[in-house]
């Protein structure tokens, strides 16, 4: 995963987060990676909001 990739949150993440409302909420929107490191990413969502979380929770739809 790298800056500029189009990503969406993995559906399997919903199953892990559904019982933990204090944790990151599952989002169905797609987004563009604006920052990334080995373990985390910052994603600009379609709504204009930023979401920072673990890179393993996202899958690449279209790579740059």
């Amino acid at each position: 995963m790298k800056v500029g990739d189009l990503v969406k949150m993995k559906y399997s993440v919903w199953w892990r987060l559904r019982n933990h409302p204090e944790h990151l909420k599952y989002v169905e929107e797609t987004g563009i990676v604006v920052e990334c490191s080995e373990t985390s990413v910052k994603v600009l969502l379609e709504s204009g909001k930023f979401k920072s979380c673990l890179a393993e929770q996202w899958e690449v739809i279209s790579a740059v």
Side-chain angles (χ1 to χ4, degrees):
M1 189 177 304
K2 58 186 179 237
V3 173
D5 285 351
L6 183 63
V7 295
K8 71 175 185 175
M9 190 169 271
K10 293 179 181 177
Y11 182 70
S12 61
V13 172
W14 180 82
W15 289 101
R16 286 186 275 160
L17 299 179
R18 66 189 171 127
N19 295 324
H20 303 285
E22 68 278 0
H23 292 280
L24 172 74
K25 300 288 184 194
Y26 178 80
V27 293
E28 294 184 5
E29 299 177 68
T30 58
I32 296 176
V33 176
V34 292
E35 289 180 26
C36 63
S37 68
E38 290 181 22
T39 59
S40 64
V41 293
K42 187 172 191 178
V43 178
L44 175 60
L45 299 173
E46 295 172 0
S47 62
K49 296 180 181 181
F50 287 93
K51 189 71 83 175
S52 296
C53 53
L54 296 173
E56 69 182 25
Q57 296 178 338
W58 296 85
E59 63 182 318
V60 176
I61 298 172
S62 179
V64 176

